[in-house]
Amino acid sequence: MLKETRTFAQTMFAAYIYMYYFTTLSLLPSGFTMLRAFSHTNGRCVFHHAKCWHHRKSVLAIRREDVNAWERRAPLAPKHVKELAQMGYKVLVQPSNRRAIHEKDYVKAGGIIQEDISEASLIVGVKRPPEDKLIPKKNYAFFSHTIKAQEANMPLLDEILRQEIRLFDYEKMVDHKGMRVVAFGKWAGVAGMINILHGLGLRFLALGHHTPFMHIGMAHNYRNSSQAVQAVRDAGYEISLGLMPKSVGPLTFVFTGTGNVSKGAQEMFNALPCEFVEPHELKEVSRSGDLRKVYGTVLSRHHHLVRKSDGVYDPVDYDKHPELYTSRFNIDIAPYTTCLINGIYWEQHTPRLLSRQDAQKLLVPIRSAAGATDGCPELPHKLMAICDISADTGGSIEFMTECTTIDSPFCMYDADQHIIHDSVEGSGILMCSIDNLPAQLPIESTEYFGDMLFPYIEEMLLSEGSDPLESQKYSPVVRDAVIASNGSLTAKYEYIQKLRESREHAQWLKMGNKKRVLLLGSGYVSGPVLEYLSRDSNVHITVASVMKEQLEQLKKKYSNVTSVHMDVIKDEEKLSSLVKKHDLVISLLPYTVHPFVAKKCIDNKVNLVTASYLTPAMKELQESVEAAGITVISEMGLDPGLDHMLAMECIDKAKEVGATVVSYTSFCGGLPAPENSDNPLRYKFSWSPQGVLLNTVQSATYLKNGEIINIPAGGALLDSVTPMDFFPGLNLEGFPNRDSTKYAEPYGIQTAHTLLRGTLRYKGYSKTMGGFVKLGLINPDPYPLLRSSTPPLTWKELMCKLVGIKPPAEYQVLKEAVFSKLEKDKNQLEAVEWLGLLGDEPVPAADSIVGALAKHMEIKLPFGTGERDMIVMRNEIGLRHPSGHLEDKFINLVVYGDNKGYSAMAKTVGYPTAIAAKMVLDGEIVAKGMVTPLTKKVYGPILERVRAEGIVYSTHSVIKQ
């Protein structure tokens, strides 16, 4: 009867509201229509004051989750899409095979599966999108994890501000009491409880006990929560039969918090034969409780928080002054707890539940009882496991400093050693702290979350991200969740910038007198640079890069490294700020970026080291560098770099004995090791091949027997190839590289009649590349048909255009046309076929044909697992001594990459760069202005120190009469 009365009242109230809005329609401006007066969701009437123009159809987009492989959720389920579609909204759904709810269900509900979501005014997701996928001036809603100025997500926030995006953060959608109204909380609790029961089964087994928990799997192993409940009930049935080992003792579970997280965990716990007791009863049941059941207790603030001065808990006073309180959890609760399920977040100045010192005391071994045997061992201590569902690193559980993952859900915390190891064995507490638990039960989580979010979707949807925030009539729940809008943090969240600044300031203070190095780029070469500089504990390195995964790996590997995720080119202001805070910058970015970086170093009077050529653009900065009083070192890698150093060492020694240089040739190449050169190109790439490809069509100039030889650009270089038989077993060839004659003056060898610097490759490389030149594939000119905004081309279609036949052509017809264009060269045709350039594979989007070929080759010709590269350098220097006799000096450098370590290229570029940087930091290099490694004070120490890193060269001489 009550239910019927309530339904009637709701119906009458809804009818009244409907009539009110119907009447109001006549008062609205012409062309303006109320789309929806109210909706009935989960038994609640939700009223929407949303309006839209007839001619404008608002579009919502559900974006694809692409940050984590386990993220199979969506913010809205098909039932929500259906209701939006019925209300007249267009709903786009980005395609995703990973999403747990099938696309056909969204289509059936009225959604449109579409990759391009740029027409949407509101884009919703669960987790953060990658920075490069953001669309300017849109409304976005997702969990941003930025409200605590989380360092890892600050680049995302910067990009949101730069692109003037309006960001709604679900975490800050709260009611008037501050309680979250949009969350996955319950399902985090459900999944977390399932996981920790599974983990306890593994942990008990490692300690010598088979328990019923062994039959419970991880949460994602179940199709839905009902299946998981049945598995827990089955385990509970065995417990009720007395099948839990007696030596394990009564099991006690403590749940912190009273919100949805805790309730979800308790819901799953209730599937066991359980009894809930008050916290003060925990001590008794942990000692003499019934082994045929498990015990639980729910912990609230008043159970463990007391004022330091008088031992009393005052809730009003605590809210005002949490720093005056301490927790007695470590004394009154933890010693009698088998498993802690933590669902509370920690805020600054509030007491923690457990500290490292608490853990050390709790893990003191229990004295063995008289009945304990090897086959029936007692547990080493009472507290066996912690499931930190809050995943709040460094929070209420102080020693939970790193989240676990669905892939690796458990780790052991050893309080004595203060270390965490990935295992369920050994000493310590079993820890589970997965930060995306609801993703393990994705369908139910999506429906639950969508139900909570849906009432607020419409008001977010009916505004453009570019509109001023002040003009929006948002409800308090939505308005207070806007973190950023129109290029600025909203007033409520301006504190985020202050938090960032204070954290950065604290980091710099912590460094004290440490030398600060800013490393730009995190590619292959960065490894040796970081490894070398990190040996000095007095050096702190900041690595700035767009490669987020590489940054995370580097940060884990090196304790004195700070990572900054950023695009150096796009974020000029941030780069300036970073440069200013460091003593030295090392740029491993492309050489075209170095002048841009150098200008920042000049402005802030900070030294710079690069491994690239001293280009004309860099030389133009000479006066500015000298005026700033800084050191800018270039050409500090392999080639250029070690080639200069080895040459100058030989030349300077010759001059010391009065000899003159009559010839100088130097060839260098980065190659796959012979056993890994198994492709038509005899070459592989460890980074973008575009520079390598373009080098084959560059011009070249060199001096031979007193005559200057000029090779024009466009591919003639490949006709100037010479066999190189100084290492006959390697079957090498070489061709000139750029302008060799310009080195006569800096080397001080104007007396030389031959001066040649060149590139080494395996025989056959140049012939194959010649085929690509013939076909027009090494063309750097803009090619509009390959832009991302145009329909994609296949390689077959592109090749038809290049050889002048109408697509689509039969494979054999195209092959014959290409063969003819290659002047009937079978080897060149084999390379074209091997790379799939006559097939239906799409051509990568690029600005030019050579850019597309480079991307294609990067995929087709990478170094595989266990494969290694090789560096070969050969210098030949002809000397004339005062006595008149001639001497040929031969300098050989051969370096192999390590199968599980650094590549040869990384070592030979990275170590010289790092050594030069260290010499600047230590005051060994004091010269100001543009510096290259051509003086003994620079090259001497570097050549000596690279030997210690396994970069060893040999020399020998041949005397001629």
Side-chain angles (χ1 to χ4, degrees), residues 484-547:
S485 183
N486 308 106
S488 302
L489 292 170
T490 56
K492 187 175 180 180
Y493 298 100
E494 287 175 349
Y495 73 87
I496 293 175
Q497 183 58 32
K498 295 177 182 177
L499 276 180
R500 294 177 70 175
E501 291 170 356
S502 63
R503 182 180 62 225
E504 289 173 4
H505 182 66
Q507 287 175 343
W508 296 123
L509 288 178
K510 188 178 179 181
M511 287 184 209
N513 295 322
K514 285 189 175 183
K515 295 167 184 175
R516 301 169 184 135
V517 176
L518 173 61
L519 178 62
L520 303 178
S522 61
Y524 292 98
V525 175
S526 65
V529 174
L530 284 169
E531 189 274 324
Y532 187 87
L533 293 176
S534 293
R535 297 173 192 173
D536 186 346
S537 60
N538 199 39
V539 174
H540 187 90
I541 307 141
T542 302
V543 185
S545 171
V546 294
M547 308 299 286

Side-chain angles (χ1 to χ4, degrees), residues 114-304:
Q114 184 172 306
E115 181 65 32
D116 183 4
I117 56 174
S118 58
E119 66 175 303
S121 58
L122 173 64
I123 301 171
V124 295
V126 177
K127 294 291 189 178
R128 51 160 288 164
E131 286 94 296
D132 60 355
K133 298 287 179 68
L134 291 170
I135 303 174
K137 298 184 178 181
K138 296 289 184 184
N139 292 304
Y140 274 85
F142 56 88
F143 287 106
S144 73
H145 301 294
T146 58
I147 59 173
K148 294 183 182 178
Q150 290 96 319
E151 193 170 354
N153 293 321
M154 289 302 96
L156 171 68
L157 184 58
D158 289 338
E159 194 63 19
I160 285 170
L161 293 171
R162 190 183 73 81
Q163 296 198 33
E164 298 183 19
I165 287 167
R166 181 171 297 147
L167 169 61
F168 301 95
D169 194 320
Y170 303 135
E171 194 171 351
K172 298 307 292 181
M173 296 180 75
V174 298
D175 61 18
H176 66 284
K177 295 180 180 178
M179 301 297 291
R180 288 173 61 183
V181 297
V182 179
F184 286 101
K186 172 189 172 181
W187 293 101
V190 170
M193 193 69 218
I194 299 168
N195 292 341
I196 200 62
L197 292 176
H198 169 71
L200 279 171
L202 298 176
R203 179 58 178 157
F204 283 137
L205 187 65
L207 294 171
H209 308 280
H210 170 79
T211 66
F213 298 136
M214 281 299 296
H215 303 306
I216 299 174
M218 289 288 289
H220 59 266
N221 290 336
Y222 301 103
R223 186 179 297 276
N224 52 46
S225 60
S226 297
Q227 285 191 351
V229 167
Q230 189 56 54
V232 175
R233 281 177 179 161
D234 289 345
Y237 177 68
E238 292 188 15
I239 292 172
S240 68
L241 294 177
L243 299 182
M244 185 67 74
K246 291 182 180 180
S247 51
V248 166
L251 300 184
T252 55
F253 293 77
V254 174
F255 300 86
T256 60
T258 56
N260 289 329
V261 169
S262 182
K263 289 174 181 175
Q266 292 172 51
E267 186 178 303
M268 190 56 60
F269 181 72
N270 280 324
L272 295 170
C274 62
E275 178 183 341
F276 278 89
V277 297
E278 289 297 313
H280 69 270
E281 298 175 305
L282 205 61
K283 180 177 181 180
E284 179 61 30
V285 297
S286 72
R287 292 176 177 174
S288 56
D290 189 343
L291 295 179
R292 293 170 298 178
K293 64 173 71 171
V294 294
Y295 295 90
T297 191
V298 180
L299 200 69
S300 295
R301 287 178 177 178
H302 67 276
H303 290 128
H304 67 105

Side-chain angles (χ1 to χ4, degrees), residues 280-530:
H280 69 270
E281 298 175 305
L282 205 61
K283 180 177 181 180
E284 179 61 30
V285 297
S286 72
R287 292 176 177 174
S288 56
D290 189 343
L291 295 179
R292 293 170 298 178
K293 64 173 71 171
V294 294
Y295 295 90
T297 191
V298 180
L299 200 69
S300 295
R301 287 178 177 178
H302 67 276
H303 290 128
H304 67 105
L305 293 176
V306 294
R307 196 159 39 215
K308 296 174 185 176
S309 59
D310 57 10
V312 174
Y313 174 71
D314 181 337
V316 176
D317 182 55
Y318 176 79
D319 287 338
K320 293 179 181 178
H321 304 290
E323 72 281 0
L324 301 179
Y325 286 73
T326 187
S327 172
R328 290 186 56 84
F329 179 82
N330 62 325
I331 300 170
D332 297 342
I333 309 294
Y336 316 110
T337 301
T338 305
C339 179
L340 168 63
I341 295 91
N342 183 40
I344 58 173
Y345 286 91
W346 180 75
E347 294 183 6
Q348 200 77 27
H349 308 305
T350 61
R352 286 189 165 94
L353 282 177
L354 289 174
S355 67
R356 178 194 171 189
Q357 291 73 24
D358 295 333
Q360 286 177 316
K361 294 174 183 176
L362 292 167
L363 297 189
V364 172
I366 299 171
R367 292 180 184 177
S368 296
T373 66
D374 288 345
C376 303
E378 287 207 336
L379 298 179
H381 38 75
K382 183 65 180 178
L383 183 59
M384 300 304 301
I386 296 176
C387 181
D388 194 350
I389 300 174
S390 74
D392 189 14
T393 55
S396 53
I397 311 295
E398 184 185 30
F399 47 86
M400 200 288 283
T401 56
E402 196 173 307
C403 290
T404 58
T405 65
I406 297 175
D407 291 309
S408 301
F410 306 111
C411 64
M412 294 295 297
Y413 173 68
D414 185 333
D416 288 330
Q417 301 295 322
H418 192 47
I419 57 172
I420 294 172
H421 52 93
D422 295 329
S423 176
V424 294
E425 299 180 350
S427 60
I429 304 171
L430 181 77
M431 304 285 291
C432 181
S433 52
I434 299 169
D435 65 357
N436 58 338
L437 284 166
Q440 292 183 275
L441 297 166
I443 296 177
E444 289 161 298
S445 294
T446 295
E447 292 175 344
Y448 175 84
F449 185 82
D451 286 344
M452 301 181 81
L453 175 63
F454 187 81
Y456 307 100
I457 283 289
E458 195 170 12
E459 58 180 295
M460 291 191 281
L461 179 57
L462 290 176
S463 66
E464 291 293 335
S466 57
D467 294 340
L469 181 62
E470 299 76 23
S471 67
Q472 306 306 310
K473 304 298 183 182
Y474 293 138
S475 65
V477 170
V478 173
R479 183 193 63 233
D480 291 346
V482 179
I483 305 291
S485 183
N486 308 106
S488 302
L489 292 170
T490 56
K492 187 175 180 180
Y493 298 100
E494 287 175 349
Y495 73 87
I496 293 175
Q497 183 58 32
K498 295 177 182 177
L499 276 180
R500 294 177 70 175
E501 291 170 356
S502 63
R503 182 180 62 225
E504 289 173 4
H505 182 66
Q507 287 175 343
W508 296 123
L509 288 178
K510 188 178 179 181
M511 287 184 209
N513 295 322
K514 285 189 175 183
K515 295 167 184 175
R516 301 169 184 135
V517 176
L518 173 61
L519 178 62
L520 303 178
S522 61
Y524 292 98
V525 175
S526 65
V529 174
L530 284 169

Side-chain angles (χ1 to χ4, degrees), residues 660-950:
T660 57
V661 176
V662 295
S663 66
Y664 171 78
T665 62
S666 176
F667 280 85
C668 181
L671 304 162
E675 69 273 18
N676 302 132
S677 59
D678 52 347
N679 63 69
L681 207 59
R682 282 87 163 163
Y683 199 78
K684 291 189 176 180
F685 300 96
S686 55
W687 49 66
S688 176
Q690 187 161 336
V692 176
L693 297 177
L694 288 174
N695 279 343
T696 62
V697 293
Q698 299 288 353
S699 61
T701 303
Y702 62 96
L703 181 68
K704 184 175 183 180
N705 296 326
E707 181 186 358
I708 291 180
I709 310 295
N710 289 304
I711 301 173
L717 190 67
L718 299 172
D719 298 325
S720 305
V721 175
T722 305
M724 294 284 162
D725 56 0
F726 49 83
F727 293 137
L730 290 180
N731 201 26
L732 299 170
E733 63 184 25
F735 51 86
N737 183 20
R738 306 193 189 197
D739 183 2
S740 301
T741 61
K742 67 180 184 180
Y743 288 95
E745 185 177 342
Y747 280 13
I749 55 173
Q750 293 89 336
T751 54
H753 58 69
T754 297
L755 185 52
L756 172 60
R757 287 165 50 87
T759 300
L760 290 173
R761 294 288 184 261
Y762 288 119
K763 280 184 183 175
Y765 171 88
S766 299
K767 191 172 186 179
T768 301
M769 292 300 300
F772 297 151
V773 173
K774 291 176 189 175
L775 293 170
L777 289 167
I778 316 296
N779 186 348
D781 296 335
Y783 198 78
L785 290 178
L786 295 181
R787 289 176 183 161
S788 57
S789 57
T790 61
L793 282 177
T794 65
W795 280 108
K796 184 178 180 180
E797 291 169 332
L798 178 60
M799 291 301 290
C800 284
K801 293 178 183 295
L802 293 178
V803 298
I805 63 175
K806 187 176 180 180
E810 293 292 331
Y811 183 88
Q812 198 59 37
V813 173
L814 175 59
K815 182 177 176 179
E816 286 298 326
V818 169
F819 192 40
S820 177
K821 189 88 170 177
L822 295 174
E823 300 169 354
K824 306 295 184 179
D825 190 306
K826 291 183 180 180
N827 290 327
Q828 291 178 344
L829 179 63
E830 179 194 347
V832 170
E833 286 191 290
W834 189 90
L835 284 168
L837 301 183
L838 304 183
D840 294 323
E841 193 172 339
V843 181
D847 293 328
S848 63
I849 294 175
V850 71
L853 182 63
K855 291 180 179 180
H856 185 70
M857 283 189 167
E858 194 170 6
I859 296 169
K860 293 288 186 180
L861 295 170
F863 281 91
T865 304
E867 293 185 343
R868 56 183 185 156
D869 69 333
M870 175 178 69
I871 294 298
V872 180
M873 183 187 290
R874 168 81 164 196
N875 285 354
E876 298 181 7
I877 303 175
L879 305 174
R880 185 183 296 278
H881 287 272
S883 61
H885 72 268
L886 300 175
E887 178 185 6
D888 286 338
K889 283 275 190 182
F890 303 99
I891 306 167
N892 298 319
L893 173 65
V894 180
V895 180
Y896 284 92
D898 303 322
N899 284 335
K900 295 184 179 179
Y902 301 128
S903 68
M905 185 64 75
K907 288 191 286 187
T908 52
V909 175
Y911 281 125
T913 301
I915 293 167
K918 191 70 165 62
M919 288 173 69
V920 175
L921 290 173
D922 293 344
E924 290 184 77
I925 297 177
V926 294
K928 304 302 177 185
M930 296 293 188
V931 176
T932 53
L934 301 179
T935 62
K936 190 172 183 179
K937 285 185 178 180
V938 176
Y939 71 68
I942 294 175
L943 287 177
E944 180 183 343
R945 292 168 197 176
V946 293
R947 289 191 190 98
E949 309 306 329

